[in-house]
């Protein structure tokens, strides 16, 4: 069976990456692409690298245009998916690559996003280890709504969840500092994202618990009656795409380095898209560019009594479009990895 696909927000970075990956998917056919201010333009005018879509024209983003497809991907800015999704009905599988349906707490949404809350959808991070001991993929089969995680959230959640679920690290005083590329902010023209501003420099933002991804990280890592505390600091660096997340956690008393490595090894032993590197090895962002792969390096800092993880992923693939397609595969009963690359592009 071939599933018909529409992509709202196809002119942006996330939309473009969805298109690139879907071009190699044997079960999906992109039939409709939409945009807002770019409606009416040829798709390849916005994405000249996507030659297989020559001839497609961006239509206006409306529910009427999107209805009638088997799968609708919403690659829209935060705050723009909720109302549109409510008009689409239940006939289509709708996958939101924005933040509108990620948070289970209305209070957290209103505090960090300051707009109307549209509820939560099944969460599209299949490898996330839950407090019950199962993976989030168990909650995705057969659903018709999916909320794709934030890219930074993916890196931190995958980095720390195994230790928390195994009880080898403490839930308080988690830390994460991330080097991130500006493509995560989308194509919006902003002075702080201009090449002249970021080349040869690096600057932190969303400091002191103010970043919108903080409540999502807490949501993913907390257990029943055991909320986590996390200090999360992203740092914008001059690379077009990618995330390198250094995440740390306090060891529980009496836990050995062997216990720590065992927790992460068991969590990801059978995961093709999340791989724990051998002891003493740590990933670079370039190892993951173009791939739906997160690579994790792990070490115990004995003197500081902390676990240190270094996680690399492509924010536009495993951090967004790849996760969306992976979760969609599960929802439709297709092989989870169908159409998704494990190998990156180098140099």
């Amino acid at each position: 069976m071939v599933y018909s696909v529409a992509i709202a927000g196809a002119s942006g970075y996330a939309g473009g990456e969805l298109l690139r990956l879907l071009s190699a998917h044997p079960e999906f056919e992109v039939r409709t692409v939409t945009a807002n201010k770019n409606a009416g333009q040829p798709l390849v005018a916005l994405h000249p690298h996507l030659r297989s879509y020559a001839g497609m024209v961006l239509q206006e983003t409306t529910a009427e245009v999107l209805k009638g497809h088997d799968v609708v991907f919403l690659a829209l800015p935060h705050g723009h998916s909720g109302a549109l999704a409510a008009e689409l009905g239940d006939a289509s599988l709708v996958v939101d690559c924005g933040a509108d349906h990620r948070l289970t707490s209305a209070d957290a949404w209103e505090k960090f996003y300051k707009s109307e809350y549209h509820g939560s959808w099944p969460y599209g991070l299949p490898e996330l280890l839950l407090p019950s001991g199962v993976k989030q993929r168990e909650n995705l089969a057969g659903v018709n709504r999916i909320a794709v995680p934030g890219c930074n959230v993916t890196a931190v959640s995958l980095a720390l969840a195994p230790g928390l679920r195994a009880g080898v690290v403490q839930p308080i005083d988690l830390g994460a500092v991330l080097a991130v590329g500006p493509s995560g902010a989308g194509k919006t023209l902003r002075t702080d994202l201009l090449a002249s501003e970021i080349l040869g420099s690096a600057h932190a933002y969303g400091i002191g618990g103010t970043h919108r991804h903080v409540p999502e990280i807490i949501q993913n890592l907390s257990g029943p009656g055991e909320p986590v505390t996390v200090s999360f600091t992203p740092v914008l660096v001059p690379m077009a795409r990618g995330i390198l997340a250094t995440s740390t956690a306090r060891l529980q008393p009496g836990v050995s380095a062997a216990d720590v490595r065992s927790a992460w090894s068991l969590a990801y032993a059978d995961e093709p898209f999340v791989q724990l590197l051998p002891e003493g090895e740590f990933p670079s962002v370039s190892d993951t560019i173009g791939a739906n792969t997160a690579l994790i390096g792990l070490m115990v800092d004995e003197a500081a009594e902390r676990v240190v993880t270094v996680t690399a992923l492509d924010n536009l693939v495993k951090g967004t479009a790849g996760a969306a397609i992976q979760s969609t595969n599960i929802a439709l009963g297709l092989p989870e990895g169908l159409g998704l690359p494990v190998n990156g592009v180098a140099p």
Side-chain angles (χ1 to χ4, degrees):
M1 176 177 178
V2 175
Y3 295 89
S4 61
V5 173
I7 300 176
S11 60
Y13 288 138
E17 200 66 3
L18 280 165
L19 287 161
R20 183 181 73 86
L21 295 172
L22 289 170
S23 69
H25 197 295
E27 302 292 339
F28 292 155
E29 180 181 290
V30 178
R31 296 182 184 172
T32 302
V33 289
T34 79
N36 289 318
K37 65 179 181 180
N38 293 310
Q41 295 193 53
L43 179 63
V44 291
L46 281 303
H47 295 299
H49 61 298
L50 299 177
R51 305 314 302 178
S52 64
Y53 295 99
M56 294 196 77
V57 175
L58 292 160
Q59 300 183 54
E60 186 180 357
T61 301
T62 66
E64 289 70 26
V65 170
L66 298 171
K67 283 180 178 178
H69 297 81
D70 297 313
V71 183
V72 178
F73 292 98
L74 304 178
L76 302 171
H78 304 326
H80 288 72
S81 297
L84 179 63
E87 298 182 52
L88 294 178
D90 296 329
S92 301
L93 167 57
V94 183
V95 185
D96 187 3
C97 295
D100 291 26
H101 300 96
R102 295 171 184 165
L103 297 182
T104 58
S105 167
D107 290 341
W109 173 267
E110 290 162 4
K111 177 181 177 181
F112 282 86
Y113 289 90
K114 296 177 172 48
S115 62
E116 182 183 357
Y117 180 62
H118 290 278
S120 64
W121 289 356
Y123 195 68
L125 185 51
E127 300 92 349
L128 179 64
L129 190 58
L130 303 176
S132 63
V134 303
K135 299 283 184 68
Q136 177 60 20
R137 63 168 51 88
E138 302 297 323
N139 298 320
L140 291 171
V143 302
N144 71 345
R145 294 290 188 271
I146 297 170
V148 179
C151 53
N152 295 314
V153 179
T154 296
V156 178
S157 299
L158 292 176
L160 295 178
L164 290 163
R165 303 302 175 233
V168 298
V169 299
Q170 300 179 38
I172 60 169
D173 191 27
L174 305 177
V177 177
L178 290 74
V180 302
S183 59
K187 270 189 174 181
T188 302
L189 183 60
R190 286 171 33 186
T191 301
D192 63 324
L193 300 180
L194 296 175
S196 57
E197 299 290 333
I198 65 173
L199 291 179
S201 184
H203 72 268
Y205 62 100
I207 302 164
T210 62
H211 195 282
R212 290 172 170 178
H213 284 173
V214 169
E216 193 180 342
I217 294 171
I218 292 172
Q219 176 178 291
N220 287 355
L221 297 180
S222 293
E226 190 177 62
V228 302
T229 60
V230 59
S231 177
F232 166 75
T233 307
V235 179
L236 190 67
V237 298
M239 58 184 182
R241 58 202 286 168
I243 294 173
L244 189 72
T246 302
S247 306
T248 72
R250 293 184 190 178
L251 284 173
Q252 292 282 14
V255 169
S256 69
D259 295 331
V260 169
R261 178 156 286 272
S262 176
W264 269 261
S265 295
L266 288 172
Y268 298 130
D270 300 317
E271 296 290 355
F273 296 124
V274 183
Q275 300 179 17
L276 178 67
L277 299 184
E279 189 168 357
E281 293 186 17
F282 297 89
S284 298
V285 168
S286 59
D287 302 335
T288 64
I289 296 302
N292 191 50
T293 308
L295 301 178
I296 302 174
L298 175 70
M299 180 172 282
V300 172
D301 185 335
E302 301 281 3
E305 298 182 339
R306 297 187 77 91
V307 174
V308 180
T309 64
V310 178
T311 304
L313 56 81
D314 185 327
N315 60 296
L316 294 177
V317 187
K318 186 56 178 169
T320 308
I325 295 169
Q326 184 181 348
S327 299
T328 300
N329 284 340
I330 296 171
L332 296 174
L334 299 172
E336 185 172 329
L338 195 63
L340 293 170
V342 174
N343 299 322
V345 177

